[in-house]
Amino acid sequence: MDDRYPSTDEEQAVHVNFPYPHADNELNRGLPLVKWLLAIPHYIVLFFLTIGAVLAAIGAWFAILFTGRYPRSLFDFIEGVIRWHNRVAAYAFILITDRYPPFSLRP
């Protein structure tokens, strides 16, 4: 994660790289039909975590306003929620992996 102001004429500082899957030997052919069902527990947990992340972002805004520092714990929590969202999206929507995403904010 990076907090520099994004440039409009140069290469962006933040990149998301998903490995290209080898569909012949890495992906199950029938699993895409049920992946969105298997991810329902993640949707439920992520719903509440997203609410918490929004509240943490508001709290971080006030912390930055009064102290001039972004509290590391709030940053780690929000980054973990974003990371979890990306793992679930890669599994259930983008369909680039058959590895079930862990219930964790850590990488």
Side-chain angles (χ1 to χ4, degrees), residues 2-64:
D2 194 1
D3 64 348
R4 288 183 284 162
Y5 190 77
S7 174
T8 57
D9 60 345
E10 298 173 5
E11 184 177 337
Q12 299 294 314
V14 177
H15 300 277
V16 177
N17 294 321
F18 292 114
Y20 191 80
H22 298 288
D24 296 337
N25 55 4
E26 290 182 9
L27 299 176
N28 187 338
R29 293 174 72 78
L31 205 53
L33 300 174
V34 295
K35 279 185 177 181
W36 60 275
L37 281 172
L38 295 173
I40 287 175
H42 286 284
Y43 305 149
I44 295 168
V45 173
L46 281 171
F47 173 77
F48 293 106
L49 284 176
T50 302
I51 292 171
V54 168
L55 295 175
I58 293 169
W61 183 81
F62 280 109
I64 293 169

Side-chain angles (χ1 to χ4, degrees), residues 73-96:
S73 59
L74 293 178
F75 177 83
D76 289 340
F77 174 72
I78 293 170
E79 183 183 27
V81 172
I82 293 169
R83 185 181 295 125
W84 193 342
H85 271 284
N86 286 339
R87 285 193 303 250
V88 172
Y91 175 76
F93 301 117
I94 303 173
L95 303 174
I96 62 170

